[in-house]
Amino acid sequence: METSIFERDGKTWTRFKVKVKELRIYARLLKKWVDINKPVKQSSRYIYFEVEGDLLNN
């Protein structure tokens, strides 16, 4: 799983990039912050989730 911080419309967002094969491993952790049934983007290899706020530096 990779995490990154970005700015959109003056707000800070955290993006989680998870491999499809590893989603079961990280699902319990991600459920605290995002709805894992509604990814922002999905490809054949990765699933992307976004949440408003800076979760890396808190």
Side-chain angles (χ1 to χ4, degrees):
M1 177 170 71
E2 296 177 27
T3 55
S4 60
I5 303 293
F6 66 97
E7 294 276 333
R8 181 189 305 150
D9 299 328
K11 296 181 182 179
T12 304
W13 292 78
T14 302
R15 178 177 291 144
F16 299 98
K17 178 181 173 184
V18 183
K19 288 184 180 181
V20 172
K21 293 180 180 181
E22 296 177 347
L23 183 61
R24 285 188 302 130
I25 297 168
Y26 294 111
R28 185 179 248 172
L29 175 68
L30 287 171
K31 282 183 182 180
K32 293 180 181 179
W33 298 291
V34 297
D35 183 7
I36 62 168
N37 296 321
K38 296 183 181 177
V40 175
K41 180 180 171 185
Q42 185 170 358
S43 68
S44 61
R45 296 183 77 188
Y46 296 103
I47 301 174
Y48 298 88
F49 301 99
E50 294 178 357
V51 63
E52 188 174 345
D54 184 354
L55 298 180
L56 291 176
N57 298 318
N58 285 335

